[in-house]
Every structure is written in C-alpha cells, then in structure tokens.
Amino acid sequence: MGETQVKHGNYHNYYRFRAEDSRSQILRQHLETLCATNRLHLPPDDNSLVHMADFGCNTGQFTEKAREILEQVLAGARVRAVGVDIDEELCERARAAFPDIEFISGNLLNIACQETASRDNPIERCMVRLGIRQFDVICCFSVLMYIHLNGGDEGLRRVLDYVCERGKFLILELQAWHKYRDQVRRLKRDANESYPLYAGLEWRGGSGVLESHIKEYVRSKGFELVSESSEKSEFDRQLIFFVKK
C-alpha cells in the first residue's frame, strides 16, 4: 500500500474489507423518516431530477448505493449522481463499473482552498455542464477526517464552506477522535510519515467533542441538523443530515 493511499485514505482495496455493512440500512432509515415527515424537500421541481454529488467516492460502490436509496425513497424521482475522488485510478475503475454515474478526479482540499471562486476546476466544470449552481444532495462518507488531518482546522473549515455553498441537503459521515489517533499511528507505521498539522488541531476530543465542532460550524452556515444516527456502523462512524434553511 502506497504512502499516498494511507495519507489521503484513497485505499485501492477499500471495498474488499468494507463491502456492505449497516451503513446502507442506517442511511435508508433516516432518509425514509425525513421524507415521511416532509423534511427532505426533494425533488426540487416538476422535472423530478435530483443532482447528487459524492465527495470521496473511491471506486463508486457506495455512490451507486446512495443513489439507489435516494431514488427508492424519493419515489418517482431520478437521481443523477457525480462522484469525486482524489485518485484518478479509482475514478477509472468506478467509470468502468458504473457507467451511468459521472466520476471526476479532483483534490477537494485544494479546490476549496483556492483564493478565488473559479470555474477552472473539475467540480465547477461539471456543474456548468449539468447546468446547476448547486447540488441537491452532497455526500461526504468517511472523507472529512483525511481532509482535517492534511489541511488542519482551517482546511476543514474551507472544505465545509465549499460543501455548504454548493449543496442544499448534506449527508456527512463523521469519524470519531479515536479514529484520528489510529490514522496517525497507521501513517507512521505504514509509511514512516506524519501529519504536520495534527498536533495543532483545536477541533479535537473524544465523547463527541470533535463532532460537535463540525456540527456547530455547519449550523453557522445556515443549515439545520435534521437527523443524526444514534446508532453507528460497524466502523464506529456516525451519519448526520443537514438541510439548508
């Protein structure tokens, strides 16, 4: 396993050890409840077309699963999905496996930290092709920890800014603080590398403290937290759901 895979989490064999777990069921249950209580305001208009983006898509298996669940919950809607990953090889594998989904390669941290809003990046170019200014749904499954470790608190805030500006309904899968510690040890063990910004992180802490920082920041951007899973998947990760007010 290469250093880059460990550092950014773009594992090439990820779905060999996380093929299908309770995350799908947790996602479905919460979306069904939100839809039944009229808190999932989709599809947006009469054409019943929902645009979904999955940031950190790997080889696309869960991108396809999330798209399928959304279509089933939003009976009659069609979901057009876009997957984004830092690793072009993973995107190539995803394109071959799921030709109905567009997969594009891009470094979300670098894109979000650009000084000016530019159409000269793959996500913005994709949105122009689709004729949209925002995605109806943005998913970030198990990717924010790697952005946080590589970009520090400021890098994570910039990515959250970007996601909040370009999404109406957000599904975030958060990793607990002890997962950060495990990842730091893994990078040292497997690649003899470190995350230089780790020691300076102010957004840290177990027992939900880290997660609270992220939730409060997204709220400050005009979003309402409409659901969160009290149960966690086998990998001890929580799903949280936000809607733009």
Side-chain angles (χ1 to χ4, degrees), residues 27 31 42 44 49-55 57 60-71 74 78-84 100-104 123 126-127 130 132 134-141 166-171:
L27 178 62
L31 289 177
L42 300 171
L49 178 62
V50 174
H51 290 93
M52 181 195 97
D54 180 18
F55 292 158
C57 63
Q61 278 90 332
F62 205 70
T63 312
E64 167 61 17
K65 176 61 68 174
R67 186 199 65 79
E68 175 186 306
I69 291 171
L70 270 172
E71 284 197 335
L74 301 169
R78 182 166 66 93
V79 177
R80 178 180 289 168
V82 175
V84 182
D100 291 338
I101 299 175
E102 181 175 0
F103 292 96
I104 55 179
I123 298 175
C126 174
M127 294 174 72
L130 295 174
I132 60 173
Q134 287 183 304
F135 289 98
D136 299 300
V137 181
I138 290 181
C139 308
C140 294
F141 296 115
R166 285 155 181 81
K168 303 173 186 176
F169 185 85
L170 311 180
I171 305 172

Side-chain angles (χ1 to χ4, degrees), residues 37-180:
T37 56
N38 199 32
R39 308 203 78 182
L40 181 58
H41 303 297
L42 300 171
D45 50 43
D46 292 337
N47 66 19
S48 297
L49 178 62
V50 174
H51 290 93
M52 181 195 97
D54 180 18
F55 292 158
C57 63
N58 199 269
T59 50
Q61 278 90 332
F62 205 70
T63 312
E64 167 61 17
K65 176 61 68 174
R67 186 199 65 79
E68 175 186 306
I69 291 171
L70 270 172
E71 284 197 335
Q72 292 169 354
V73 170
L74 301 169
R78 182 166 66 93
V79 177
R80 178 180 289 168
V82 175
V84 182
D85 199 90
I86 193 173
D87 192 318
E88 173 59 24
E89 181 180 336
L90 293 176
C91 289
E92 289 179 358
R93 289 164 57 185
R95 293 181 196 116
F98 307 103
D100 291 338
I101 299 175
E102 181 175 0
F103 292 96
I104 55 179
S105 178
N107 185 323
L108 185 58
L109 179 60
N110 289 349
I111 290 170
C113 290
Q114 290 177 345
E115 289 300 320
T116 58
S118 170
R119 296 187 183 277
D120 190 27
N121 71 61
I123 298 175
E124 302 300 322
R125 290 198 300 270
C126 174
M127 294 174 72
V128 170
R129 287 197 306 273
L130 295 174
I132 60 173
R133 298 179 64 184
Q134 287 183 304
F135 289 98
D136 299 300
V137 181
I138 290 181
C139 308
C140 294
F141 296 115
S142 297
V143 69
L144 295 178
M145 177 184 75
Y146 298 100
I147 289 169
H148 198 184
L149 287 170
N150 284 287
D153 293 328
E154 182 58 22
L156 178 58
R157 283 191 288 266
R158 296 290 289 273
V159 167
L160 291 173
D161 290 345
Y162 188 85
V163 169
C164 289
E165 288 170 2
R166 285 155 181 81
K168 303 173 186 176
F169 185 85
L170 311 180
I171 305 172
L172 309 181
E173 183 181 31
L174 303 185
Q175 288 157 286
W177 180 247
H178 70 87
K179 295 290 186 180
Y180 281 60

